[in-house]
DNA sequence: CAGTATCCACTTAGATACTG
DNA sequence: CAGTATCTAAGTGGATACTG
């Protein structure tokens, strides 16, 4: 039995998904674009004020600085960063236990790379916003006309 | 009536979400990390083989090159990129109509910035993978012990 | 203090069918 | 050719309560 067109398509998709999943840059991108990853990385990499030097911080300190993060997301984010060797976790056996996190050299180098993206976005933000509002204005015109004529 | 603790917390969260939503670099990051954005951008910015020069391409050509993309996601991605001024859409009134897309200067500059990230990920991929497998091995040890003892 | 466990709501993407 | 419309499935984040 020969393959149908939809089977071939499905095969191609699987191949492609495998490729995407194996692609290092896509892995990185989806990792880095997690809602809290960059916040943790920049807190740890640039200090609490995001403008200083790298400094180890405790779990609860991160939770305080990164407003709105839930314990779940914080530990999830920290764990995945630690897993990838971007941050280092240190537990000291006091009572209660003290845990600190700090960026590794690897994490710091990623942080610097991501900063470049940040710089791009800040310096081109105006242009993007301008394009966006102009685009939206153009799109709305026909729609509003339709709305006005159809309304009542 | 004074605010309860949970109300204050909710307020803080709203404030924070508004801040995040307004933050240009986070907007960019979530935009760029969309599954198809980088693929479209690199197809348009580096040609079909991802190693050439920028060249205008047609809707169906993009659909063919970017394996696995549905028409819905392709047009959605193209539209948002056009909205932000990163690509330009040109329709020629032939029968049937011909539409081409090409990167703008703005889009090209973003493409180059993202390439830096790609380069980072490719040159550090080994390190990350090494950390990851070592981390996973360490974590599995106690779990396997539990599994072995509990199994049957 | 430093998390884990659970449940729920919501966004997103994919398949599919249809249109100017 | 170049899309749009609709429905559904799945992954993700959030709130909350609990634990060593």
């Amino acid at each position: 039995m020969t393959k149908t067109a939809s089977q071939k398509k499905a095969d191609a998709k699987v191949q492609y998904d495998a490729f995407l999943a194996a692609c290092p840059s896509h892995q990185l991108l989806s990792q880095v674009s997690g809602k809290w990853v960059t916040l943790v990385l920049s807190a740890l990499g640039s200090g609490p004020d995001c403008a200083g030097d790298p400094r180890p911080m405790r779990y609860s300190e991160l939770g305080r600085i990164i407003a709105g993060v839930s314990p779940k997301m914080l530990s999830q984010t920290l764990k995945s960063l630690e897993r990838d060797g971007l941050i280092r976790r240190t537990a000291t056996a006091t009572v209660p236990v003290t845990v600190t996190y700090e960026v590794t050299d690897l994490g710091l180098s990623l942080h610097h790379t991501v900063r470049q993206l940040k710089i791009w976005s800040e310096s081109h933000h105006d242009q993007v916003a301008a394009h966006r509002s102009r685009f939206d204005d153009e799109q709305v015109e026909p729609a509003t006309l339709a709305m006005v004529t159809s309304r009542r």
Side-chain angles (χ1 to χ4, degrees), chain A:
Chain A
M1 175 185 173
T2 63
K3 293 189 176 184
T4 66
S6 68
Q7 274 179 321
K8 280 187 200 165
K9 197 174 158 191
D11 285 357
K13 190 193 167 306
V14 170
Q15 289 291 320
Y16 176 71
D17 284 352
F19 161 71
L20 252 197
C23 171
S25 31
H26 250 266
Q27 282 186 335
L28 176 73
L29 212 51
S30 53
Q31 155 79 316
V32 154
S33 61
K35 192 172 178 183
W36 306 108
V37 177
T38 51
L39 293 166
V40 169
L41 222 50
S42 81
L44 251 27
S46 306
D49 52 356
C50 284
D53 289 325
R55 171 167 78 72
M57 294 172 78
R58 299 175 60 173
Y59 180 87
S60 51
E61 190 178 4
L62 287 167
R64 241 172 297 116
I65 285 170
I66 304 174
V69 69
S70 65
K72 175 190 168 182
M73 291 317 295
L74 185 54
S75 63
Q76 188 173 304
T77 304
L78 289 169
K79 200 171 288 182
S80 92
L81 288 174
E82 188 199 356
R83 185 168 110 102
D84 289 350
L86 302 173
I87 65 176
R88 181 172 26 251
R89 177 184 185 274
T90 313
T92 313
T94 53
V95 271
V97 54
T98 307
V99 180
T100 62
Y101 294 91
E102 61 192 313
V103 283
T104 59
D105 290 347
L106 190 60
L108 204 55
S109 79
L110 175 58
H111 178 225
H112 290 144
T113 309
V114 172
R115 269 188 64 88
Q116 293 309 116
L117 248 193
K118 187 187 170 191
I119 290 168
W120 187 96
S121 75
E122 281 166 354
S123 55
H124 295 83
H125 177 247
D126 293 350
Q127 282 183 65
V128 170
H131 274 285
R132 194 174 285 199
S133 54
R134 205 153 68 85
F135 184 88
D136 290 349
D137 285 352
E138 284 166 13
Q139 298 305 312
V140 173
E141 272 168 39
T144 42
L145 188 62
M147 281 177 67
V148 169
T149 51
S150 70
R151 198 177 287 240
R152 180 175 306 233

